[in-house]
Amino acid sequence: MKIRFIDAEAPPASRIFENLAAGHGDHPLDRYLKKGRIPHIWCSGCGNGILLAAFVKAMEKGNFDTKKTVVVSGIGCIGRAAGYLDLDTYHTTHGRAIPFATGLKLANPKLNVVVISGDGDLFAIGGNHFIHAARRNVDITVICSNNFNYGMTGGQGGPTTPLESKTTTTPYGCSEHPFNLVYLAKASGAVYVARWTALHTHELRDSIIHSVNKPGFCFVEAITPCPTAHGRRNKLGDGLSMMKSYRDNSVLTTELDPEETAIGLKGKIAVGEFVDIDKPTFMDMYDECAICRANAPKKSKKS
Amino acid sequence: MSYWRMPLDAVRREIVLGKVNIISHRCKGCRYCIEFCPSNTLAESEDFNEKGYHPPYVKSDAKCVNCNYCETICPEFAIFVTELEPRNLLPEDVVKTQSRSRRRTRRE
Ligand SMILES: Cc1ncc(C[n+]2csc(CCOP(=O)(O)OP(=O)(O)O)c2C)c(N)n1
Ligand code: SF4
Ligand code: SF4
Ligand code: SF4
């Protein structure tokens, strides 16, 4: 058979964009999303979309000023969240979302600075930034989508992978002890620490509103299903059965010591608000100590 | 919402109802909205959308109570609810399928 090639011109870029953006605005939350970006890349059943929706709902209910709210993300599946939001957003290099956000906050303290990133991004390559921003009590909010593995690169084990869970890098089961993010955040000095699962959408939204309004380093952990990598390798079923297991295993508690809130591959998940304290922020301390002293009149030396 | 009889103060109370709007072509078929709807309003359709998933549809006899949960749980921004005018409970809202004693035994 003879193949005939048709001399067709590629449609102009503007028309491609028009097609992509068709239907934008059909959903009331679309006003917070960039035109032409939905559907997002996340798999069917991925919890990242729920977290993004919770953030957008928080913006709506908390009346956040879209001109003053900025979102910074690192690399990973959830890192794409920054690109979908119609705000000033920054998709930084792997692990560097927190230092970037710190810089933004210090340069313009009027901004609400929110970091949305993954467990691998924030606690493996970016682990040092997390503990030191929490120690300094920089006034930013960090939201972590914890799916217990590196979703984007195909499901490698990371710092939150529970013992014995299977990943591409731990085919016989993970033999490393994982971080308990709630405990880590508390020990590093965060003033607000909460953990919810993707099923607790309303609580997640309210925690995000509270964190953004609260001065100081606030940390919200969202347990999200990653059915494609973590779920499939550990035979946890599809997204729906992972969500059902969150429903059956979540225990709401405020009394539990953060030390006791570690999460295993299966079993109970402690959820709730674990820390909510007040402490002067990095900028408060800096203004008070360093700048005041530098500007104070010098004492003349008496002989 | 099912009631075993018309509530005695029904004339003084208004019920909240919602209208479910589904943007079928955005759905990725995770079924979260169907499974976690407290009033069992949605079901999976037989039809495929353009992505090859089965989007949800609103059951004909269902009454959405405008709780907004499907809207917040949907990862795809594919479903949202709008509030309808609140109205009084009507006799046809009262689903008298279960007698009081049967409800008791079911709960036990
Ligand atoms: C400097 C650098 N090292 C490694 C990578 C490869 N990489 C891309 S995403 C990722 C892991 C992201 O995992 P996580 O933060 O848990 O996000 P998820 O994809 O699970 O949402 C890695 C290691 C990279 N992009 N840059
Ligand atoms: S790989 Fe996992 S985290 Fe990434 S989009 Fe798919 S389900 Fe979500
Ligand atoms: S708003 Fe609530 S009751 Fe109505 S369909 Fe959605 S989940 Fe069901
Ligand atoms: S929650 Fe959204 S994506 Fe999932 S089945 Fe319902 S409409 Fe489709």
Side-chain angles (χ1 to χ4, degrees):
Chain A
M1 200 179 85
K2 219 173 137 200
I3 300 168
R4 275 205 10 234
F5 291 97
I6 304 166
D7 237 354
E9 259 179 56
S14 61
R15 213 170 71 228
I16 297 176
F17 181 73
E18 254 167 50
N19 287 344
L20 282 175
H24 180 87
D26 289 353
H27 193 288
L29 296 179
D30 280 359
R31 66 195 170 100
Y32 292 103
L33 303 174
K34 277 200 184 92
K35 221 173 172 180
R37 286 304 184 92
I38 298 294
H40 50 61
I41 61 152
W42 297 319
C43 309
S44 162
C46 176
N48 290 342
I50 306 176
L51 181 58
L52 181 63
F55 179 76
V56 167
K57 284 257 168 190
M59 291 212 48
E60 190 182 47
K61 194 181 172 209
N63 273 325
F64 298 167
D65 187 347
T66 46
K67 294 268 183 300
K68 282 198 191 142
T69 307
V70 296
V71 172
V72 187
S73 70
I75 304 295
C77 293
I78 183 64
R80 308 272 310 184
Y84 297 130
L85 290 162
D86 195 12
L87 307 170
D88 281 337
T89 59
Y90 305 86
H91 193 179
T92 65
T93 47
H94 200 21
R96 312 300 169 222
I98 290 178
F100 195 95
T102 305
L104 276 176
K105 184 70 191 179
L106 299 191
N108 187 352
K110 285 198 204 92
L111 297 177
N112 296 326
V113 182
V114 182
V115 171
I116 304 181
S117 210
D119 50 301
D121 184 78
L122 289 171
F123 294 96
I125 188 167
N128 256 305
H129 300 304
F130 182 90
I131 56 173
H132 291 291
R135 172 180 67 78
R136 295 179 180 127
N137 200 17
V138 183
D139 185 12
I140 58 174
T141 297
V142 176
I143 305 170
C144 174
S145 166
N146 183 3
N147 54 17
F148 305 107
N149 74 147
Y150 294 173
M152 174 153 274
T153 40
Q156 293 81 1
T160 54
T161 305
L163 277 177
E164 298 188 7
S165 53
K166 293 204 169 81
T167 66
T168 46
T169 46
T170 59
Y172 303 106
C174 179
S175 54
E176 300 172 14
H177 296 284
F179 273 146
N180 169 359
L181 302 185
V182 167
Y183 186 36
L184 178 70
K186 184 191 171 179
S188 310
V191 292
Y192 177 81
V193 180
R195 176 197 279 152
W196 301 106
T197 74
L199 202 67
H200 299 89
T201 54
H202 289 49
E203 291 87 343
L204 206 50
R205 176 200 62 197
D206 293 346
S207 273
I208 295 173
I209 297 175
H210 185 71
S211 305
V212 171
N213 291 330
K214 189 177 169 82
F217 187 91
C218 299
F219 176 62
V220 181
E221 176 183 5
I223 307 289
T224 49
C226 168
T228 306
H230 183 249
R232 183 165 54 90
R233 290 212 173 75
N234 291 290
K235 302 210 163 43
L236 302 175
D238 58 359
L240 188 59
S241 28
M242 292 176 86
M243 289 286 265
K244 282 184 178 164
S245 81
Y246 298 161
R247 179 187 62 194
D248 300 340
N249 291 320
S250 297
V251 190
L252 179 66
T253 167
T254 43
E255 266 117 64
L256 215 57
D257 188 326
E259 199 176 343
E260 263 127 59
T261 58
I263 310 174
L265 179 56
K266 283 169 190 157
K268 298 288 175 209
I269 304 172
V271 295
E273 295 173 301
F274 296 96
V275 178
D276 197 353
I277 54 167
D278 291 314
K279 199 161 80 173
T281 66
F282 175 69
M283 277 310 259
D284 295 342
M285 294 301 283
Y286 194 71
D287 285 345
E288 215 169 89
C289 307
I291 299 195
C292 286
R293 285 199 193 141
N295 289 342
K298 291 209 173 73
K299 280 182 206 152
S300 54
K301 274 182 199 158
K302 276 179 195 159
S303 53
Chain B
M1 188 91 68
S2 56
Y3 302 82
W4 59 274
R5 62 154 165 73
M6 192 72 168
L8 296 176
D9 61 351
V11 278
R12 282 188 282 123
R13 303 268 174 249
E14 287 190 322
I15 55 168
V16 185
L17 294 173
K19 178 177 173 288
V20 189
N21 309 280
I22 298 162
I23 311 171
S24 318
H25 64 89
R26 287 191 186 180
C27 173
K28 285 188 197 158
C30 65
R31 295 179 56 101
Y32 294 165
C33 56
I34 300 169
E35 207 67 32
F36 299 118
C37 167
S39 67
N40 204 4
T41 305
L42 304 163
E44 189 174 59
S45 63
E46 302 248 298
D47 302 339
F48 292 100
N49 67 5
E50 61 191 40
K51 290 195 183 78
Y53 295 106
H54 299 288
Y57 72 93
V58 182
K59 289 192 215 164
S60 57
D61 58 340
K63 291 222 164 53
C64 164
V65 295
N66 195 32
C67 71
N68 254 292
Y69 194 65
C70 54
E71 187 177 316
T72 52
I73 199 82
C74 176
E76 307 295 332
F77 300 92
I79 189 166
F80 65 98
V81 275
T82 33
E83 193 171 336
L84 296 175
E85 273 300 292
R87 62 165 172 79
N88 285 106
L89 205 61
L90 299 174
E92 52 266 32
D93 294 325
V94 179
V95 189
K96 280 186 187 159
T97 44
Q98 299 158 358
S99 75
R100 202 177 173 190
S101 53
R102 267 193 56 211
R103 272 167 56 99
R104 277 232 179 101
T105 41
R106 271 194 49 190
R107 221 184 278 152
E108 272 153 20

